[in-house]
Amino acid sequence: MFEFFYKNRLLNTIGTLFFTAIFFVSPLIFFTDLTRNPYYFQITLLNISVLAIFIAVIIADYKDGGLLVSKNILNLPFIILIFIFLFSSLYSLLNHNDFFHPAMISESLKKGVFTTVNCFLVFYISQNIPFGKMPEKKDLFKWTIFFILWPLFWLFFPTLKSGAPSDLGIISKFWDPYGGILWIVAIIIVMRFLRKFRQQSFIHLALIVCSIASLYGILQYFQIELIWKKALNPYGNRSVSTFGNPNFISSFIVMLFPIATAYLLYSKTLFEKFFYAFIFLTYEGMLLSSLTRSSWIGAFAGIVFIFGFKEFRNKFVENRKFTYPFLIIVLVFLFFWPSENLKPFSSGMADRVSEGALKTVSSKKITLNVEKDNVYNSLHQRLLIWSSAWQMGLENPALGKGWGNFELFYPFYQGPLLGNFEGIRGLRTHANNAHNEILELWSQTGIIGLGAYIWVFLTLLICFMRFYKKAVYEDRYWTIPFLAALSGMFIDNMLNVSLHFAVPAFLFWWIVGALSLKLSSPDGSPKYLVLILNKNIKNLISLSLVLLCFVGIYYWHSQFMREIHYFKGFKLMRKARFSQAVDELKKAYSYHGREVNNNYEFANAYVRMDDYPKAQWAYQESLKSNCGYDEIFFNFAVVNKKLRKFDLALENLKMSILINPINIANYTALAEIFMSDIGKYSKEGALFFENALRIFPFDANIINTLGYFLTTEKNYKRAKEVYARGVKINPANEMLVSNLKMVAERLKVKNDSDIKWLAQYKDLENSLKGNNYTKDSLDIADALLQDAPYSAAVMYLKSKILFVLGEYSLSKKCLEKILKINPENADARYGLGNIFEKEGNCEAAKKEFIEVFKSNPGNDGLKARLKKMPC
């Protein structure tokens, strides 16, 4: 197939140009002020380039006289897998309410395009690129010169960059004369390296590109920024390099690590050894700088995999004069790479691993039913996502929720879990993927899709085992690292999501294609079935495929232009320039009308301009794009309320609560609608606010509202229980006290125990105002707490008594209990600061006083006290 490219200069040039765009430009280029996600240009360039190459392939096939289909072991299982993906989406669509259909179509189309272009076409193209003689390294010296000089010239970029004139519009955002010249020169050089279309050429380019990106990422880790005006650290000190996300470059490295190791061990000359050793060390440094533990496990698995074969163990021993000292250097890097805070003599690897191990052990329960203090975010957030994914698959075990629908439906499964498990409520997220490749397939395509997916890679494994038994040493040696790369990526993606993002996914499926080629044709050259078809049928198929590719290119152009205008509108919104924001967001919508973030921002802009009918339309468009965001439903409800469409507002609030039951603003808005027609909504209000009380057991407004609905329903007994709880939590709330007395009178309860409790509390409070801090006062506080152990008010009084009696440790425990219930309790925090000060712990006391001052910055007395503190 690609042999024809050698005969046709135009096709050769086109193919080489777009291969350069994929392997060289895409992983290295990113912009900080063009799109909200800096890597969006990478995605666009990669997908358009893949489609352009496929067009060239179709043209080459056509001119060669027929449609060529390579004889590949994975063609059948892969095509069946894609068919199952499509069928799962269609089946899910037919079995869901009409309301979800637009969003399901939008999400499934997005995932379908990714799977077709970024996965299948990459696999198809790769399996048609032949291998040269292993290893083909005669260009290694030229690669080295390029490897040194091109990054070196970028060091002058901050000084020499001038930017394009602003009147050039969008071009001015990503063009600079000096930077442009560097890119053009590099692209010309790389095209010369790639002109033969050999797997080794592409692999070497990937190795070098990843090493350049790794060097940049290492400098970022040490807070050295050579390109941009300021350091880029959106993930703390986790380096993102040119990939925009630390998890993406770390996975890219995981796949290239075994291949770099294979070249290193096979090197004959000292120059070659140092070349590949340097690449290996840059990968190691970048992996440590990314702080991505799943990739550490994946990289380790990949290395263990290759050394499980005697070919690599023997090579390691044969080269022991080099490999043994090199291993020491690798281990020094591994154990003495500084931690995230860059402290001298610290170990980032030890710190990160021990953090995970200790916090997992200290969490006590690897379950969602865990105390808030024992939550380990990295662990329990994944448990939350995995639990939702598992439930998603259980709903339809055969075909799941449909390929591409995970992000859409995930919030509907997360919401009930957040409502039921208090400890994990701070982990709420909007997950794009399952963070586990098995659950990813199970949740969206069920057991059928997961089985087909396993079939693809089981076929690869079985064919490898057969190949390994029969192949000569050279072929065995150079096939092992490809399978190791895939194994490491799978291990990484048991905790990661990088298989579903463009650049790392591209490399993964390229390696799948290359390995399947080698296993299908041991000499490394693709073999073809030539489909001799009727000329009209052949023309129709070729034309259809070309047209589909051009549709795909237009699709990605539209996506990219939308992102540019969306980001402009997003920034204008933050500057309160709403009219201009609307113009930009409207342009974004015109390019692609099914992007939830743009449509949501579009609606918000109309709201800020008080144009509620248009805001209503834009929120509807948001829901058609992705209806899994509670914020859209909440804002839509507010707009409907302003337009006096109360039934619609109510429906939207109910959906918002279903998705996010821990947003108290939902209940406040809901109460306003319910109370607008109390006769109609009191029963429903009581049901909703019983659930709200379970989630917000200490909120006075929730308690009061529930009590009101219960009273309206004449359920005085339950209303009295609710009001009594509220009074015991906050005896100073006169409305709660009044309502408690009212329902007690309606129930005609004599000598009511809750009223007595309130009287005892008031007596104790008045007694303490008279400085009567005695053992008897303490006994009264304990008696009150026996009836209401959740009463922060009584606990606070008890802490004051204990403090005066000199029982500082017991007083501290009371205050800590209060802060566990309500971290915003300034009185408890102030009291805790006093105790720390008494104990001589000045730093801890100051920390508490600062927190109190943040909530009350006008407290001059506290400000003066802080200034006088010696620490």
Side-chain angles (χ1 to χ4, degrees):
M1 182 179 293
F2 280 96
E3 296 299 325
F4 185 82
F5 278 47
Y6 307 142
K7 306 171 191 175
N8 189 299
R9 181 173 293 181
L10 178 61
L11 285 178
N12 186 284
T13 302
I14 291 171
T16 308
L17 176 64
F18 284 110
F19 274 125
T20 301
I22 293 171
F23 276 92
F24 177 66
V25 182
S26 183
L28 290 178
I29 196 165
F30 71 107
F31 300 96
T32 59
D33 193 34
L34 185 63
T35 56
R36 191 172 179 188
N37 286 325
Y39 49 81
Y40 208 87
F41 182 75
Q42 294 181 342
I43 301 171
T44 303
L45 179 63
L46 190 152
N47 279 272
I48 288 177
S49 298
V50 169
L51 289 165
I53 290 169
F54 190 63
I55 290 171
V57 167
I58 295 166
I59 294 170
D61 282 357
Y62 184 84
K63 290 194 172 185
D64 235 9
L67 290 174
L68 302 180
V69 178
S70 60
K71 299 176 182 178
N72 190 281
I73 56 173
L74 294 186
N75 280 348
L76 179 63
F78 207 147
I79 290 169
I80 290 174
L81 176 65
I82 288 181
F83 173 78
I84 291 170
F85 283 170
L86 175 62
F87 185 73
S88 72
S89 297
L90 291 173
Y91 183 84
S92 184
L93 185 71
L94 294 173
N95 286 275
H96 276 85
N97 186 286
D98 291 349
F99 169 77
F100 291 101
H101 286 178
M104 291 177 73
I105 293 169
S106 174
E107 291 297 302
S108 295
L109 178 64
K110 184 165 63 175
K111 191 70 171 182
V113 170
F114 174 86
T115 305
T116 303
V117 179
N118 218 126
C119 304
F120 180 73
L121 287 188
V122 169
F123 157 75
Y124 176 80
I125 291 167
S126 177
Q127 64 165 281
N128 287 286
I129 301 290
F131 283 87
K133 186 179 178 181
M134 284 286 191
E136 188 178 272
K137 296 185 286 188
K138 57 186 178 183
D139 285 334
L140 199 59
F141 181 74
K142 296 177 183 176
W143 276 124
T144 306
I145 299 299
F146 174 76
F147 192 9
I148 295 170
L149 291 181
W150 192 68
L152 193 63
F153 278 109
W154 278 103
L155 298 180
F156 302 101
F157 178 72
T159 304
L160 298 177
K161 68 178 177 180
S162 56
S166 58
D167 58 4
L168 291 178
I170 291 171
I171 294 175
S172 65
K173 289 288 186 182
F174 59 94
W175 174 256
D176 174 83
Y178 180 74
I181 290 169
L182 288 182
W183 276 113
I184 291 168
V185 169
I187 287 168
I188 292 170
I189 293 170
V190 171
M191 285 178 68
R192 290 182 63 81
F193 287 140
L194 295 183
R195 65 188 182 276
K196 292 182 181 178
F197 293 165
R198 290 291 181 264
Q199 285 286 355
Q200 287 89 341
S201 300
F202 292 114
I203 292 299
H204 267 89
L205 179 56
L207 289 170
I208 289 169
V209 163
C210 189
S211 188
I212 292 171
S214 295
L215 283 170
Y216 180 49
I218 291 167
L219 290 174
Q220 281 183 335
Y221 188 74
F222 289 98
Q223 298 175 8
I224 300 170
E225 178 54 61
L226 300 177
I227 305 297
W228 304 102
K229 292 179 180 178
K230 61 180 181 179
L232 305 176
N233 53 356
Y235 295 86
N237 207 37
R238 295 182 65 196
S239 292
V240 300
S241 185
T242 58
F243 282 62
N245 188 306
N247 295 350
F248 299 167
I249 186 168
S250 65
S251 292
F252 206 78
I253 289 170
V254 164
M255 291 180 280
L256 292 175
F257 233 140
I259 298 171
T261 305
Y263 275 109
L264 173 62
L265 295 177
Y266 203 87
S267 298
K268 304 296 183 185
T269 67
L270 194 60
F271 169 71
E272 290 175 2
K273 291 180 193 295
F274 275 109
F275 178 84
Y276 293 113
F278 181 78
I279 286 177
F280 187 99
L281 291 176
T282 61
Y283 290 177
E284 183 184 13
M286 182 61 229
L287 264 182
L288 293 168
S289 299
S290 74
L291 300 174
T292 308
R293 285 170 295 197
S294 64
S295 295
W296 294 356
I297 298 169
F300 178 73
I303 296 297
V304 167
F305 186 96
I306 61 173
F307 282 106
F309 293 87
K310 62 181 183 294
E311 289 84 356
F312 283 83
R313 295 194 300 272
N314 292 342
K315 277 288 182 186
F316 186 82
V317 175
E318 284 174 20
N319 291 282
R320 57 185 173 273
K321 288 184 179 179
F322 183 85
T323 55
Y324 286 6
F326 180 69
L327 178 61
I328 294 171
I329 295 171
V330 168
L331 293 175
V332 168
F333 265 54
L334 187 64
F335 291 107
F336 294 99
W337 192 266
S339 61
E340 189 175 0
N341 54 26
L342 302 180
K343 285 184 179 178
F345 308 110
S346 60
S347 171
M349 191 273 292
D351 286 358
R352 191 88 166 128
V353 171
S354 61
E355 174 203 299
L358 290 173
K359 288 191 176 180
T360 299
V361 171
S362 65
S363 69
K364 297 181 182 177
K365 289 184 179 180
I366 303 180
T367 172
L368 297 181
N369 188 18
V370 63
E371 293 288 331
K372 186 177 180 180
D373 290 346
N374 294 326
V375 167
Y376 178 38
N377 288 10
S378 295
L379 168 67
H380 289 98
Q381 190 168 74
R382 278 180 172 79
L383 289 178
L384 175 61
I385 296 170
W386 294 343
S387 298
S388 301
W390 178 250
Q391 291 177 26
M392 213 179 285
L394 283 179
E395 194 172 296
N396 181 4
L399 288 166
K401 294 293 285 186
W403 187 238
N405 287 327
F406 184 88
E407 181 182 0
L408 170 62
F409 287 112
Y410 168 76
F412 293 94
Y413 293 85
Q414 176 185 240
L417 292 173
L418 295 175
N420 290 328
F421 299 106
E422 181 182 357
I424 62 163
R425 287 173 188 163
L427 302 180
R428 178 180 170 268
T429 184
H430 194 94
N432 296 321
N433 301 95
H435 288 72
N436 179 286
E437 193 62 12
I438 293 172
L439 288 173
E440 182 82 22
L441 272 294
W442 157 258
S443 62
Q444 296 175 85
T445 63
I447 196 69
I448 295 175
L450 178 59
Y453 192 71
I454 292 171
W455 177 28
V456 170
F457 293 99
L458 191 60
T459 301
L460 205 60
L461 180 61
I462 291 170
C463 290
F464 167 78
M465 292 166 66
R466 292 174 181 168
F467 174 88
Y468 182 79
K469 290 177 182 178
K470 298 178 181 178
V472 298
Y473 173 85
E474 291 284 318
D475 287 335
R476 292 201 310 272
Y477 182 89
W478 289 108
T479 307
I480 291 166
F482 283 81
L483 191 59
L486 301 182
S487 302
M489 187 64 162
F490 271 123
I491 297 295
D492 180 6
N493 275 262
M494 290 301 104
L495 297 165
N496 202 346
V497 297
S498 52
L499 260 172
H500 302 277
F501 286 85
V503 176
F506 155 76
L507 182 61
F508 177 84
W509 291 107
W510 183 275
I511 292 173
V512 170
L515 179 58
S516 67
L517 166 62
K518 192 67 178 173
L519 299 181
S520 302
S521 176
D523 68 355
S525 297
K527 304 296 187 290
Y528 297 103
L529 292 170
V530 181
L531 302 179
I532 306 298
L533 302 170
N534 175 280
K535 186 176 180 181
N536 291 332
I537 295 174
K538 174 187 163 186
N539 290 346
L540 180 63
I541 292 173
S542 298
L543 182 61
S544 298
L545 289 174
V546 169
L547 286 175
L548 282 173
C549 288
F550 275 112
V551 168
I553 289 170
Y554 178 77
Y555 170 85
W556 276 107
H557 164 265
S558 298
Q559 294 271 18
F560 183 58
M561 294 305 295
R562 180 209 65 216
E563 283 296 303
I564 289 173
H565 288 292
Y566 159 63
F567 191 43
K568 284 183 178 179
F570 177 84
K571 290 186 290 184
L572 288 166
M573 281 290 288
R574 271 70 198 158
K575 296 175 182 176
R577 292 158 64 181
F578 306 123
S579 178
Q580 292 169 281
V582 163
D583 292 339
E584 290 298 333
L585 297 167
K586 188 183 290 184
K587 286 178 186 175
Y589 178 84
S590 69
Y591 277 107
H592 184 73
R594 286 289 172 266
E595 210 293 314
V596 65
N597 294 299
N598 181 74
N599 295 346
Y600 177 64
E601 204 69 47
F602 199 8
N604 291 341
Y606 279 131
V607 169
R608 299 301 293 269
M609 294 175 68
D610 297 327
D611 192 341
Y612 298 121
K614 286 184 179 177
Q616 185 183 39
W617 167 81
Y619 283 130
Q620 287 173 330
E621 291 299 293
S622 302
L623 294 174
K624 288 177 182 178
S625 304
N626 186 327
C627 55
Y629 288 86
D630 65 289
E631 301 96 321
I632 301 173
F633 285 106
F634 179 79
N635 287 5
F636 195 15
V638 171
V639 167
N640 281 320
K641 216 171 84 169
K642 288 182 180 293
L643 293 171
R644 306 197 65 77
K645 296 180 179 181
F646 297 116
D647 288 341
L648 280 173
L650 192 57
E651 286 177 19
N652 288 318
L653 285 171
K654 288 177 181 177
M655 288 293 281
S656 184
I657 289 171
L658 176 64
I659 296 171
N660 183 11
I662 61 174
N663 180 9
I664 200 165
N666 279 319
Y667 299 99
T668 304
L670 196 67
E672 290 178 14
I673 295 176
F674 283 159
M675 288 180 181
S676 67
D677 191 343
I678 194 65
K680 181 180 178 180
Y681 294 121
S682 61
K683 187 173 183 179
E684 194 173 7
L687 289 172
F688 265 94
F689 278 83
E690 282 284 10
N691 187 57
L693 182 63
R694 184 174 58 84
I695 297 170
F696 303 102
F698 301 101
D699 188 271
N701 290 326
I702 295 289
I703 291 169
N704 231 334
T705 305
L706 174 59
Y708 176 75
F709 289 129
L710 290 166
T711 303
T712 305
E713 285 292 295
K714 298 184 179 179
N715 188 350
Y716 299 126
K717 183 179 178 182
R718 176 57 183 154
K720 181 178 170 298
E721 291 172 1
V722 170
Y723 283 134
R725 176 183 173 82
V727 166
K728 290 170 183 177
I729 291 169
N730 187 1
N733 189 313
E734 292 299 330
M735 183 176 288
L736 286 170
V737 171
S738 175
N739 287 335
L740 174 61
K741 290 178 179 178
M742 177 267 295
V743 291
E745 285 176 12
R746 292 193 182 185
L747 287 168
K748 298 180 180 178
V749 179
K750 293 182 179 179
N751 299 318
D752 182 71
S753 59
D754 296 319
I755 302 293
K756 279 185 178 179
W757 186 97
L758 177 62
Q760 288 175 326
Y761 173 84
K762 293 291 185 184
D763 289 343
L764 176 61
E765 189 178 42
N766 291 329
S767 175
L768 296 184
K769 286 178 181 177
N771 292 319
N772 189 18
Y773 293 92
T774 64
K775 183 69 170 60
D776 290 339
S777 300
L778 188 61
D779 291 340
I780 294 168
D782 284 334
L784 290 169
L785 283 171
Q786 191 171 357
D787 189 48
Y790 49 80
S791 178
V794 179
M795 267 188 270
Y796 182 66
L797 295 183
K798 183 179 177 180
S799 73
K800 289 174 72 176
I801 297 167
L802 290 167
F803 182 82
V804 172
L805 295 177
E807 298 285 352
Y808 300 135
S809 61
L810 294 176
S811 178
K812 188 195 299 181
K813 286 181 180 178
C814 289
L815 295 170
E816 287 170 346
K817 283 182 182 178
I818 295 169
L819 290 172
K820 190 173 182 181
I821 294 169
N822 179 16
E824 308 298 321
N825 192 311
D827 289 337
R829 203 165 285 286
Y830 187 80
L832 199 58
N834 283 331
I835 293 173
F836 282 133
E837 198 169 41
K838 282 281 187 183
E839 291 175 339
N841 191 343
C842 183
E843 290 290 342
K846 189 173 184 178
K847 182 181 176 182
E848 298 299 332
F849 291 148
I850 288 171
E851 288 300 314
V852 176
F853 187 73
K854 284 178 184 176
S855 61
N856 185 13
N859 190 330
D860 293 332
L862 182 58
K863 187 176 182 180
R865 184 172 182 177
L866 280 166
K867 284 185 178 179
K868 289 179 181 178
M869 292 185 78
C871 55

